[in-house]
Amino acid sequence: MESIQDRPCKCSRLDCLKSELEHYWRHIDLVHVLVLVISPVFLCLATQYIHFQRQTALWTLFLFPVGNLAITAGYHRLWAHKTYHASLPLRYFLAIVGAGMFQWSILWWCTHHRSHHRYTDTNRDPYNARRGFFYSHMGWLLFPTPEKWGAVDVSDLKKDTVVVWQDKYYVPLARMVSMLFPSMVAHVGWNDWQGGLLYAGAIRVYLGLHFTFLVNSLAHWMGDQPYGDKFTPRQNLLVAIITCGEGYHNFHHVFPSDYRNGVHWYDLDPTKWFIWSCEQLRLASQLSRIPDREIEYARNLMLRMSCAGPDTYTIPLDSPTMTWEEFERQAKAGRCLVCIAGFVYDLIDFMHDHPGGPKLIQQVVGKEATSVFYEEFHHSPHATNLLASMRIATIHIGRSRNKTYRMTNT
Ligand SMILES: [Zn+2]
Ligand SMILES: [Zn+2]
């Protein structure tokens, strides 16, 4: 179905408005309207009748970062981006506590988040920031158009027993962890089940939702772009403070496979400190860090572009040559070879680290994938640089002269 954004507008302003309202009415999601728009009215009313006790306030303050970390360290950096390995007890902990943040199951969350990274700023991006602050914040949930959102590979998550278990029991888990547990502790501890339910449960969860939404809206709208300005993500300190470090969003979009979002030691990124602490306790391992030289390369490229305009990325021409027949033969024999812009790359060691999943690479093995790499998926300068490190040969020009190769990343 054609979207309002895709349609060329030939009508009057009033007709446009009418058509837009019709579009929103057709796609309205009543469950999300109830949770995100109507429930806060009742929560505000309830605060007039239920006193916020000091112990309940401390309990709420304790639960807030714990729940947030389950989303940032679990849903986001562990399952959506696979930036580290977690032991079974840690995975169950993150899955159970994360369910209590009412952000749907890991499988649901990661599917949309991977789509957001793969199709950033396009109509296939579920929370496309180019459709405005409100849309990227919560409009995409109130008026969803899932048939338009880009498909992604989540087969790895469907094989994860913890993810499958959490998805199956998501509703009872979410109710128990988000509301019943905080209320029960407040009741047993200081006889305030109502305060526990309202403040440590419902209001905390509601605020947590909006804090996460701010990563998709404010961190795509306000802040610096030191690592890449091709897309909207930005570094936003306020968002970093309220989301346990997720506000360093420009770095994260350029280097999604790094377990850190705040890459400097002084960056306020409690999630990276949590993951690092888990590593010290042997609950986590194989923390992925992008080498400093790659990060510097991205920064320097941005500095050069700001001084001298758009730059081009060039690949040195000193590799051995390979005929197209040889390339095809080796790929058929099982090597993970891909041809991009006239060069042959061996992606075997990188396949399972690919942010978009191994299937995307498997689909282009033994093929010419220049347009896939540069046009279908707009890879960052970092990705281009990383690809260069996997180059093994140049295609012999005699066989491939009828192909047009682009040598820039722009
Ligand atoms: Zn983003
Ligand atoms: Zn991400």
Side-chain angles (χ1 to χ4, degrees):
M1 194 185 291
E2 192 184 27
S3 81
I4 284 175
Q5 250 193 349
D6 298 333
R7 252 177 260 155
C9 186
K10 291 175 185 165
C11 49
S12 71
R13 273 184 96 123
L14 192 65
D15 286 343
C16 272
L17 183 67
K18 213 171 127 192
S19 144
E20 190 148 347
L21 289 174
E22 273 172 16
H23 167 86
Y24 284 132
W25 181 248
R26 270 203 313 273
H27 292 95
I28 196 163
D29 184 311
L30 292 175
V31 173
H32 283 123
V33 169
L34 184 70
V35 173
L36 296 171
V37 182
I38 298 174
S39 75
V41 177
F42 289 99
L43 294 180
C44 287
L45 282 174
T47 59
Q48 303 302 306
Y49 299 97
I50 300 172
H51 177 59
F52 196 15
Q53 292 186 26
R54 196 167 62 88
Q55 295 101 316
T56 308
L58 291 172
W59 178 225
T60 308
L61 278 177
F62 169 76
L63 286 180
F64 207 93
V66 175
N68 231 337
L69 277 171
I71 295 296
T72 59
Y75 275 43
H76 189 207
R77 301 191 201 181
L78 174 62
W79 282 295
H81 293 298
K82 301 184 289 182
T83 65
Y84 65 100
H85 284 210
S87 62
L88 197 61
L90 179 59
R91 276 161 52 213
Y92 269 110
F93 172 77
L94 294 169
I96 292 168
V97 179
M101 292 303 283
F102 251 83
Q103 299 190 13
W104 299 110
S105 72
I106 297 163
L107 196 57
W108 186 95
W109 200 102
C110 293
T111 302
H112 294 94
H113 193 73
R114 286 185 183 180
S115 188
H116 167 61
H117 274 266
R118 176 121 14 108
Y119 305 105
T120 308
D121 295 344
T122 70
N123 279 337
R124 292 201 279 176
D125 172 358
Y127 17 100
N128 177 10
R130 295 205 194 275
R131 291 190 67 174
F133 187 94
F134 178 76
Y135 181 84
S136 61
H137 188 77
M138 58 194 261
W140 68 282
L141 284 169
L142 300 178
F143 314 104
T145 50
E147 70 280 1
K148 286 173 175 296
W149 299 341
V152 286
D153 179 15
V154 287
S155 55
D156 57 314
L157 298 178
K158 288 179 178 168
K159 286 183 209 147
D160 186 323
T161 49
V162 177
V163 174
V164 173
W165 171 80
Q166 196 237 29
D167 194 61
K168 189 172 175 189
Y169 298 107
Y170 173 74
V171 175
L173 265 178
R175 281 184 192 147
M176 259 178 351
V177 182
S178 65
M179 307 288 168
L180 288 179
F181 177 68
S183 175
M184 209 173 67
V185 171
H187 175 65
V188 173
W190 50 96
N191 199 25
D192 182 26
W193 71 268
Q194 288 178 322
L197 187 65
L198 179 65
Y199 296 104
I203 291 180
R204 174 184 62 89
V205 166
Y206 188 78
L207 287 177
L209 277 172
H210 280 282
F211 286 2
T212 300
F213 294 163
L214 282 170
V215 180
N216 305 328
S217 54
L218 193 59
H220 275 259
W221 189 60
M222 187 184 281
D224 297 332
Q225 296 184 296
Y227 302 100
D229 63 356
K230 200 167 176 177
F231 303 108
T232 54
R234 289 155 196 277
Q235 306 284 87
N236 189 296
L237 184 62
L238 174 67
V239 177
I241 292 169
I242 60 177
T243 59
C244 291
E246 299 287 76
Y248 301 100
H249 208 50
N250 186 255
F251 177 85
H252 173 61
H253 265 264
V254 178
F255 303 106
S257 57
D258 198 309
Y259 84 96
R260 308 159 295 181
N261 274 15
V263 69
H264 303 110
W265 66 267
Y266 51 81
D267 286 335
L268 281 172
D269 185 0
T271 304
K272 79 174 173 191
W273 301 330
F274 172 78
I275 296 169
W276 181 85
S277 305
C278 287
E279 185 189 37
Q280 305 311 304
L281 297 168
R282 300 189 186 284
L283 291 168
S285 60
Q286 300 179 46
L287 277 53
S288 166
R289 294 177 182 84
I290 299 294
D292 289 346
R293 62 184 159 77
E294 301 285 344
I295 297 168
E296 269 313 294
Y297 171 80
R299 267 195 89 100
N300 289 337
L301 190 67
M302 279 303 295
L303 286 172
R304 286 213 308 275
M305 283 169 71
S306 65
C307 295
D311 202 353
T312 52
Y313 182 83
T314 53
I315 302 171
L317 299 163
D318 58 352
S319 56
T321 56
M322 181 186 276
T323 61
W324 183 259
E325 289 80 0
E326 179 63 13
F327 163 71
E328 286 185 320
R329 192 189 64 72
Q330 290 200 23
K332 274 185 192 143
R335 288 193 72 184
C336 187
L337 302 186
V338 174
C339 176
I340 297 171
F343 295 105
V344 179
Y345 300 91
D346 187 346
L347 305 182
I348 187 68
D349 292 332
F350 175 69
M351 193 151 73
H352 291 282
D353 295 329
H354 184 238
K359 263 191 189 168
L360 278 182
I361 292 182
Q362 283 159 356
Q363 284 165 4
V364 292
V365 166
K367 292 181 185 163
E368 210 310 301
T370 309
S371 61
V372 175
F373 185 82
Y374 286 115
E375 288 162 18
E376 191 174 337
F377 303 109
H378 297 276
H379 286 86
S380 67
H382 161 66
T384 311
N385 205 30
L386 189 65
L387 180 73
S389 70
M390 292 176 263
R391 194 191 67 208
I392 59 161
T394 307
I395 284 286
H396 187 255
I397 201 73
R399 175 64 180 82
S400 52
R401 62 176 172 268
N402 56 344
K403 295 180 186 298
T404 304
Y405 295 123
R406 293 190 352 162
M407 297 292 293
T408 69
N409 61 4
T410 55

